């Protein structure tokens, strides 16, 4: 396990950090990846309080992209504990963890007089089919399918029983933390399907 503590995580080690080479070796030894440039792809920037105060380019880029800037002790502690530590305990500066707005498609079916949101898994399934082929029929459970051409949900055993379906693109606020698999958001949504 300890050989892969940082697997799938991309770090940018502040180039002004004197121990850059040592930190880079530590990250790659435990399965992480290191890049010299901050982008949306980067999960964390490793720095120190002095560099954060100077607002050097990697710090301003991290703030722009909403990438958490953390102290290098995050690495040592994660290795010592043989598990990824909560990065929020290692944040440097104030207001570095910025919220980001993202657009997310959400699928709804028409209930009696109101719209009900499909559960997250079904939303992903419908969206994937919609992006691939807008003329597809998608099975949403054992009894129903959605006709993307007509934007209706119908029963498999009786196509005359139908409900309208709609797709909306919503703006959701996320943090960099939630985009990393280790800290994946587990928001539970009700699955309500009918008829």
């Amino acid at each position: 396990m300890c050989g892969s503590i940082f697997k799938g995580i991309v770090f940018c080690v502040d180039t002004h950090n004197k121990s850059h080479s040592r930190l880079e070796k530590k990250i790659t030894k435990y399965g992480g990846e290191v890049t010299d440039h901050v982008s949306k792809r980067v999960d964390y920037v490793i720095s120190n309080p002095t560099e954060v105060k100077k607002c050097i380019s990697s710090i301003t880029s991290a703030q722009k992209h909403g990438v958490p800037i953390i102290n290098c002790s995050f690495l040592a502690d994660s290795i010592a504990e043989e598990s990824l530590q909560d990065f929020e305990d290692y944040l440097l500066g104030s207001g570095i963890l910025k919220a980001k707005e993202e657009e997310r498609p959400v699928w709804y079916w028409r209930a009696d007089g109101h719209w009900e949101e499909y559960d997250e898994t079904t939303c992903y399934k419908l969206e994937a089919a919609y992006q691939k082929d807008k003329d597809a029929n998608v099975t949403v459970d054992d009894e129903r399918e959605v006709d993307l051409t007509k934007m209706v949900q119908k029963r498999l055993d009786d196509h005359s029983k139908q409900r309208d379906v709609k797709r909306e693109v919503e703006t959701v606020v996320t943090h960099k933390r939630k985009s990393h698999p280790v800290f994946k958001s587990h928001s539970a949504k009700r699955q309500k399907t009918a008829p």
Side-chain angles (χ1 to χ4, degrees):
M1 170 65 183
C2 65
S4 61
I5 293 169
F6 304 130
K7 184 178 180 180
I9 302 174
V10 180
F11 294 90
C12 177
V13 179
D14 188 346
T15 54
H16 299 277
N17 193 315
K18 293 177 183 173
S19 51
H20 180 278
S21 173
R22 182 179 54 82
L23 294 173
E24 186 175 315
K25 285 178 185 174
K26 211 178 261 194
I27 291 166
T28 55
K29 178 180 178 179
Y30 288 89
E33 183 182 337
V34 178
T35 182
D36 293 329
H37 304 288
V38 179
S39 67
K40 291 179 183 178
R41 180 175 168 270
V42 173
D43 294 296
Y44 306 107
V45 171
I46 303 293
S47 190
N48 61 54
T50 305
E51 300 303 333
V52 171
K53 286 179 186 172
K54 289 181 185 176
C55 279
I56 59 172
S57 63
S58 60
I59 301 302
T60 54
S61 286
Q63 291 171 330
K64 175 184 171 189
H65 292 292
V67 177
I69 303 166
I70 57 177
N71 192 296
C72 63
S73 58
F74 169 82
L75 301 173
D77 291 351
S78 293
I79 292 167
E81 295 294 323
E82 295 186 4
S83 68
L84 200 62
Q85 301 301 294
D86 187 345
F87 77 89
E88 289 181 341
D89 295 336
Y90 301 87
L91 281 174
L92 295 172
S94 60
I96 292 169
L97 185 62
K98 292 185 175 179
K100 294 168 65 175
E101 289 187 354
E102 296 177 354
E103 290 190 343
R104 174 181 69 107
V106 180
W107 288 82
Y108 298 89
W109 56 275
R110 184 82 173 159
D112 298 321
H114 64 282
W115 290 98
E116 288 286 340
E117 182 178 339
Y118 283 102
D119 68 279
E120 191 172 5
T121 303
T122 305
C123 281
Y124 284 126
K125 187 177 183 180
L126 289 167
E127 185 61 23
Y130 179 81
Q131 293 298 327
K132 187 176 180 182
D133 180 9
K134 292 179 176 63
D135 295 329
N137 285 346
V138 181
T139 303
V140 293
D141 62 27
D142 293 339
E143 300 175 357
R144 297 165 195 84
E145 70 179 2
V146 170
D147 181 333
L148 295 177
T149 306
K150 297 179 182 175
M151 293 299 279
V152 293
Q153 174 182 280
K154 50 190 172 184
R155 291 186 59 90
L156 293 171
D157 63 348
D158 184 354
H159 285 256
S160 67
K161 293 184 178 179
Q162 300 181 359
R163 293 186 185 253
D164 291 332
V165 169
K166 72 176 181 176
R167 174 187 181 268
E168 290 185 353
V169 178
E170 295 180 350
T171 301
V172 293
V173 177
T174 61
H175 294 280
K176 187 67 176 175
R177 175 181 191 199
K178 292 186 179 174
S179 68
H180 193 276
V182 175
F183 297 109
K184 190 182 286 182
S185 173
H186 297 288
S187 58
K189 293 185 181 171
R190 301 178 310 274
Q191 180 176 1
K192 294 183 179 179
T193 53

